Amino acid sequence: MFSRVVLSFLLASNSVLAAKNVPDNPLYDYDVLQYIDPLIGSANGGNVFPGASLPYGMAKAVADTNSGYNQGGFAYDGSSITGFSSMHDSGTGGSPSLGNFPLFPYTHCDNDDVNGCIYPKKSRATGYVNGSVQASPGYFGLTMNSGIKVDMTVAQHTSLFRFNFPGGNASSPLILLDLTDLSDSRQDNATISVEPLTGTMTGQARFLPSFGSGSYVAYFCTDFLSAAGVRDNGIFVDSRASRGVKDLKISRGINGYPLPGGAFVRFNSPSEVLARVGLSFISTEQACLNAHNEIPYFDFDSIRQKAVALWKEKLSPIRVSRQGVNSSMLTNFYTGIYRTMINPQDYTGENPLWSSYEPYFDSFYCLWDSFRSQLPFLTIFDPLSVTRMIRSLIDTQKHLGWLPDCRMSLCKGHTQGGSNADIVLADGYVKGLNDGIDWEAGYKAVQKDAEEEPYDWSSEGRGGLISWRRLHYIPVQDFDYIGFGPMTRSISRTLEYAYDDYGIAQMAYGLNKLDDSEKYATTSTYWMNLFRRDQKSFINGTDTGFTGFFQPRFLNGTWGYQDPNTCSNIDTSNRACSLQNNAAETFESSIWEYQFFVPHDMAALITLLDGPTSFVRRLDYLHDQKITYIGNEPAFLTVFQYHYAGRPAKSTERAHFYIPGSFSPTPSGLPGNDDSGAMGSFMAMTMFGLFPNPGQDVYLISAPFFESIEIKSPLTGKTATVKTVNFDPTYKNIYIQFAMLDGMPYTRNWIDHSFFTEGKELVLFLGPTESMWGTREEDLPPSLSTSGIVLDGNLRRR
Ligand SMILES: *[C@@H]1O[C@H](CO)[C@@H](O)[C@H](O)[C@H]1NC(C)=O
Ligand SMILES: *[C@@H]1O[C@H](CO)[C@@H](O)[C@H](O)[C@H]1NC(C)=O
Ligand SMILES: *[C@@H]1O[C@H](CO)[C@@H](O)[C@H](O)[C@H]1NC(C)=O
Ligand SMILES: *[C@@H]1O[C@H](CO)[C@@H](O)[C@H](O)[C@H]1NC(C)=O
Ligand SMILES: *[C@@H]1O[C@H](CO)[C@@H](O)[C@H](O)[C@H]1NC(C)=O
Ligand SMILES: *[C@@H]1O[C@H](CO)[C@@H](O)[C@H](O)[C@H]1NC(C)=O
């Protein structure tokens, strides 16, 4: 049936096929940095950090604003500048994170008196010249309304700020450093000392993490370079400053708001002052060492060039053809990739909590967000960094007892769903990450999540394990006297624990622990126990026509009730859906959406939901009625789950429905919090046409948004290629008619990771209508109930 079509495609595609193995293909020879706009997502709740950072860098310099959306420091929404600080997280919800020790400049103080400058953060906030904001990899700058131009670049633990004063030389400009952070979380007894001759400031303060428990101490070492020299310096408390006092130890203050306090330095009349801020979580000495080692000469341009070179290198494995494509697509794509490397942050050498030779990464913010596409994406083009992240997660478990679910600022973060590190480890394991990872230790760590309930499961592990073992689900209103955590989310926790166990089962299989593998494969089916066959769903009082949904279930086995629409995008009930007391039984999502969260056994789910046709209607309804919301991570996989019902064409349709519709390359262009690059990775992988089912060696194939793509594996040096025939940049030909893998017809609608590591070539023949390609039973991705545990290709190395 295909033969004639295929033949004509082959003729049409001769030149495409012949282009294979052409070195330095000019198609891909362009400067990728022109397509990176760090300001995307910096307004309207995207919460992206738009400042200067290295890949996974600890120093992140930007202007901080007093916006309600200042989680990433700078929000591009007309709010005012409160300072220029050097540590941030990107894309997070909740309270703003970090933003410690901001600097703030004045051209002069009134009456040439240091008390003529305004010190407290609230009153010093200043606007900036609209249109002056400039951001690019490793660089951020703007001009304040006072006329001071501030720009900045960074090294790994050090930032470099350049203050340009207007009109040539200002008369005695002042720069202050405030012992504060973005969320005003400073605790008691922060200190600062200013060195009288040079104005060098050193100090420390204890702060609170933004979505976790405990506290952390950060240290800084800030020094200045100005041709004009230092005039005087001292400290300030609240609104008053002194040139005579050089050391300050300050209390938290009263009324729950930390007392303003810090130091200042005034300069003779320079046109420019450079401020170098060394950072550390170990000591002020180490902060100074970091500064001296990383930015020895205050040479702004060469530090910036180094940052640019690092970004170019990190972005080098992926290139797409620009042929015919609107540049806004390229900007969306490459900026999405860029944002996957802002967080997590590499704090190796800066971990005060334990001593180890293993890498230490922080700002896993949170794994519930990043397991879905960000970390799997990085595994393709930066596997060495993911390897180091996994080593760090395992080392964290070794020293703190548990794998983190969320981790920021050296603290434990709140658990949102399951023990999602299990999926992260499983994903790395099945894709063959190896270099230095102690997989036996990794296995013990994930197994502990499944077997041992922590006393405080709000920040690690899982709760309700007694009921899980006895009842085979997490009951609503569980009785749990072993460990403690928010007694909510019983449905989403059941589904996530089941999937986590599937991840463990795969690892056990690969590590030749076959009894364990069997055991966790069995517990991974427990999601079925919350399926209530006769449950209906009414929206606006009208029967949706679908029957059979997950429902909460009590300890005694009887059903509770949660409207399947509760906590959906169109729910109007105002029910709490996060970690509040009495929140819903589904986390940040509805039963309607969680109904699809069985990533490891879609075949069984589809059978339960009355077969592929009915399943597809249900998935259509989820999207068409806007019950799902692409601005939150549980939506990601639902875009592609048509693949499992033999309708890969519909996945591609949905991909184009959401991109660029919900993702535009503008400051307010993201549909939700970027969550450390989760949105960026969703967008980039969707446009790339290979979307992961995370935790499995499975990528679902769609038509890419580009005519061709090359991805070089940094591990093997081999280049994988996706090529299309009949590519149409207006996206009418988005349906795969036929595919070839390394010259052979390929009918599966999915592919495994060896595609990347072995540098294979996938050619997709596109057309304007849905075809039979990838629709047959044997073309579908694996499911536990139909295929058992499948570990494709990559296990051969053991
Ligand atoms: C700032 O400039 C941008 C474009 O540069 C414009 O869209 C926006 O409306 C301006 N905002 C204000 C407050 O003038
Ligand atoms: C802060 O300093 C005061 C005075 O030296 C001391 O009594 C107090 O214990 C310190 N508090 C903390 C949290 O270190
Ligand atoms: C600015 O300051 C520098 C260094 O103090 C000095 O050499 C120069 O003459 C000054 N320029 C003006 C315009 O005052
Ligand atoms: C490119 O995309 C942008 C944003 O969607 C749109 O405004 C513009 O018209 C497009 N340009 C072309 C040439 O299609
Ligand atoms: C529910 O009502 C809203 C507002 O009238 C409407 O926009 C929406 O389409 C309705 N949804 C369904 C599923 O009936
Ligand atoms: C089961 O438990 C629920 C919640 O406590 C209760 O409402 C219900 O009556 C119980 N059913 C039976 C049969 O005991």
Side-chain angles (χ1 to χ4, degrees):
M1 170 180 176
F2 280 117
S3 59
R4 193 182 325 159
V5 182
V6 170
L7 183 63
S8 63
F9 273 127
L10 286 179
L11 293 173
S13 66
N14 252 351
S15 58
V16 173
L17 295 176
K20 184 168 165 62
N21 295 331
V22 174
D24 302 325
N25 190 331
L27 261 186
Y28 305 112
D29 185 19
Y30 54 87
D31 177 11
V32 68
L33 295 196
Q34 66 184 298
Y35 298 115
I36 291 177
D37 180 359
L39 291 165
I40 295 173
S42 62
N44 194 31
N47 298 353
V48 161
F49 165 78
S53 173
L54 297 188
Y56 318 111
M58 176 164 134
K60 296 197 192 302
V62 84
D64 293 324
T65 60
N66 58 8
S67 168
Y69 288 123
N70 66 350
Q71 281 85 347
F74 183 78
Y76 203 6
D77 58 8
S79 50
S80 294
I81 306 296
T82 55
F84 297 88
S85 74
S86 298
M87 286 196 276
H88 291 90
D89 276 310
S90 188
T92 64
S95 310
S97 199
L98 299 163
N100 324 72
F101 313 125
L103 302 170
F104 193 87
Y106 287 104
T107 55
H108 66 282
C109 300
D110 284 354
N111 303 321
D112 201 31
D113 174 358
V114 292
N115 278 305
C117 276
I118 298 169
Y119 294 90
K121 183 160 69 174
K122 280 184 176 165
S123 35
R124 71 181 183 234
T126 309
Y128 53 90
V129 177
N130 196 22
S132 71
V133 178
Q134 286 189 305
S136 58
Y139 179 81
F140 184 89
L142 54 69
T143 302
M144 302 169 74
N145 280 350
S146 57
I148 304 173
K149 178 176 187 224
V150 189
D151 59 356
M152 58 213 76
T153 186
V154 289
Q156 181 68 22
H157 313 89
T158 310
S159 49
L160 187 61
F161 295 91
R162 183 163 62 183
F163 297 92
N164 259 280
F165 295 96
N169 297 353
S171 59
S172 241
L174 176 144
I175 295 175
L176 66 85
L177 184 154
D178 194 353
L179 293 167
T180 185
D181 67 344
L182 278 168
S183 64
D184 297 317
S185 78
R186 194 191 73 224
Q187 303 296 294
D188 235 355
N189 297 356
T191 60
I192 190 166
S193 300
V194 54
E195 213 275 314
L197 281 180
T198 60
T200 297
M201 299 169 184
T202 51
Q204 56 80 34
R206 182 176 291 278
F207 300 98
L208 304 182
S210 65
F211 189 67
S213 49
S215 65
Y216 67 97
V217 178
Y219 301 85
F220 64 92
C221 174
T222 301
D223 56 1
F224 302 91
L225 184 72
S226 151
V230 169
R231 176 177 172 194
D232 54 14
N233 50 52
I235 59 105
F236 70 90
V237 177
D238 206 359
S239 60
R240 290 288 164 247
S242 159
R243 301 190 295 167
V245 184
K246 306 293 185 188
D247 300 288
L248 173 68
K249 170 169 130 181
I250 189 166
S251 91
R252 178 171 157 77
I254 48 171
N255 301 331
Y257 184 77
L259 196 58
F264 69 87
V265 53
R266 279 202 302 180
F267 301 90
N268 296 317
S269 301
S271 55
E272 180 176 295
V273 175
L274 286 154
R276 174 175 70 171
V277 183
L279 304 161
S280 177
F281 291 110
I282 304 286
S283 64
T284 52
E285 290 74 21
Q286 181 141 330
C288 294
L289 266 177
N290 285 339
H292 292 139
N293 291 338
E294 293 172 3
I295 307 189
Y297 309 115
F298 289 78
D299 42 353
F300 194 96
D301 292 338
S302 80
I303 296 300
R304 180 180 174 181
Q305 276 162 25
K306 272 189 199 162
V308 167
L310 263 176
W311 277 113
K312 276 196 172 152
E313 187 199 323
K314 278 293 181 194
L315 289 156
S316 65
I318 301 184
R319 282 295 177 277
V320 297
S321 159
R322 298 184 290 180
Q323 206 70 24
V325 171
N326 189 326
S327 70
S328 72
M329 290 288 174
L330 295 159
T331 303
N332 253 343
F333 180 72
Y334 283 115
T335 305
I337 298 176
Y338 165 81
R339 290 204 309 273
T340 64
M341 291 180 281
I342 305 291
N343 275 11
Q345 302 184 22
D346 187 348
Y347 288 179
T348 304
E350 290 294 339
N351 175 9
L353 301 176
W354 63 86
S355 102
S356 163
Y357 291 108
E358 285 298 279
Y360 178 71
F361 276 74
D362 200 290
S363 291
F364 288 106
Y365 208 142
C366 296
L367 293 179
W368 187 84
D369 301 298
S370 52
F371 87 81
R372 297 167 201 265
S373 55
Q374 182 187 0
L375 298 175
F377 190 33
L378 290 172
T379 297
I380 296 172
F381 70 93
D382 194 5
L384 292 169
S385 291
V386 179
T387 298
R388 296 179 71 242
M389 288 174 203
I390 288 175
R391 285 170 58 179
S392 169
L393 291 171
I394 294 171
D395 201 45
T396 301
Q397 191 276 334
K398 184 172 157 193
H399 289 92
L400 299 184
W402 297 94
L403 289 165
D405 196 53
C406 198
R407 191 166 177 80
M408 79 287 303
S409 313
L410 306 164
C411 293
K412 292 177 181 177
H414 304 311
T415 296
Q416 294 174 278
S419 44
N420 297 292
D422 305 347
I423 309 291
V424 174
L425 265 62
D427 194 74
Y429 182 78
V430 300
K431 291 170 184 172
L433 296 186
N434 226 345
D435 190 19
I437 300 177
D438 179 350
W439 278 120
E440 286 293 337
Y443 181 73
K444 280 209 184 86
V446 297
Q447 190 183 33
K448 185 175 177 184
D449 282 340
E451 294 298 333
E452 203 177 308
E453 180 166 327
Y455 181 68
D456 175 8
W457 49 264
S458 66
S459 59
E460 54 208 6
R462 309 182 195 175
L465 288 185
I466 294 175
S467 294
W468 176 257
R469 287 196 190 101
R470 190 168 67 84
L471 303 169
H472 301 177
Y473 58 89
I474 298 295
V476 56
Q477 293 168 23
D478 194 13
F479 173 63
D480 186 353
Y481 59 93
I482 302 290
F484 303 89
M487 224 30 123
T488 55
R489 304 160 292 142
S490 63
I491 296 174
S492 51
R493 282 166 54 216
T494 296
L495 298 172
E496 295 198 27
Y497 294 171
Y499 189 50
D500 298 340
D501 279 357
Y502 178 75
I504 300 173
Q506 288 180 110
M507 288 177 67
Y509 186 87
L511 292 165
N512 210 25
K513 301 174 195 298
L514 298 184
D515 291 348
D516 280 9
S517 182
E518 193 73 22
K519 171 181 171 179
Y520 294 115
T522 302
T523 55
S524 82
T525 66
Y526 286 2
W527 58 272
M528 290 185 193
N529 299 322
L530 292 188
F531 184 70
R532 184 163 187 184
R533 172 152 301 285
D534 60 356
Q535 182 63 51
K536 290 177 171 298
S537 157
F538 291 77
I539 294 180
N540 296 345
T542 308
D543 191 343
T544 60
F546 298 100
T547 306
F549 287 90
F550 294 128
Q551 280 293 296
R553 210 168 169 185
F554 290 111
L555 276 160
N556 63 13
T558 64
W559 294 107
Y561 174 69
Q562 178 175 311
D563 184 333
N565 190 36
T566 295
C567 296
S568 85
N569 187 44
I570 55 168
D571 178 22
T572 51
S573 71
N574 287 324
R575 180 76 197 261
C577 302
S578 183
L579 294 174
Q580 301 94 332
N581 285 336
N582 295 319
E585 299 308 318
T586 43
F587 182 75
E588 284 190 4
S589 177
S590 60
I591 290 172
W592 247 103
E593 183 159 69
Y594 262 108
Q595 186 60 54
F596 297 96
F597 190 74
V598 187
H600 53 308
D601 206 347
M602 292 302 295
L605 179 70
I606 288 169
T607 302
L608 212 53
L609 299 184
D610 305 322
T613 308
S614 172
F615 175 86
V616 165
R617 276 201 305 120
R618 199 185 273 237
L619 197 47
D620 275 346
Y621 195 89
L622 176 86
H623 290 284
D624 290 341
Q625 299 302 328
K626 304 195 163 34
I627 297 169
T628 184
Y629 166 54
I630 203 66
N632 207 16
E633 286 73 10
F636 290 0
L637 198 56
T638 68
V639 173
F640 295 94
Q641 283 176 326
Y642 295 102
H643 271 71
Y644 287 88
R647 300 289 299 278
K650 289 190 75 84
S651 300
T652 312
E653 281 175 8
R654 287 290 165 202
H656 286 275
F657 174 72
Y658 288 116
I659 298 173
S662 300
F663 296 83
S664 66
T666 61
S668 55
L670 292 188
N673 306 158
D674 193 40
D675 287 322
S676 293
M679 289 291 141
S681 63
F682 167 75
M683 190 177 53
M685 290 201 84
T686 298
M687 298 177 83
F688 188 83
L690 295 168
F691 200 82
N693 188 338
Q696 302 173 45
D697 191 4
V698 169
Y699 300 90
L700 308 171
I701 302 171
S702 290
F705 284 53
F706 308 104
E707 186 170 41
S708 65
I709 300 171
E710 278 197 358
I711 316 103
K712 183 169 180 173
S713 164
L715 283 182
T716 62
K718 294 184 179 165
T719 297
T721 313
V722 181
K723 286 177 178 158
T724 59
V725 177
N726 290 338
F727 176 76
D728 162 25
T730 66
Y731 302 118
K732 295 198 179 63
N733 292 347
I734 57 167
Y735 300 97
I736 299 171
Q737 309 292 308
F738 181 73
M740 310 247 304
L741 183 67
D742 283 343
M744 300 290 286
Y746 192 75
T747 61
R748 284 178 170 182
N749 66 28
W750 63 285
I751 202 161
D752 67 65
H753 190 66
S754 68
F755 173 71
F756 297 106
T757 51
E758 291 173 17
K760 298 180 184 174
E761 181 191 72
L762 183 64
V763 182
L764 304 173
F765 301 79
L766 305 180
T769 50
E770 184 170 4
S771 78
M772 293 298 289
W773 176 83
T775 61
R776 298 172 310 166
E777 190 89 31
E778 59 266 40
D779 300 331
L780 307 186
S783 283
L784 178 64
S785 58
T786 52
S787 316
I789 291 190
V790 179
L791 295 176
D792 247 273
N794 294 298
L795 282 196
R796 266 173 282 156
R797 73 205 140 76
R798 289 198 184 79

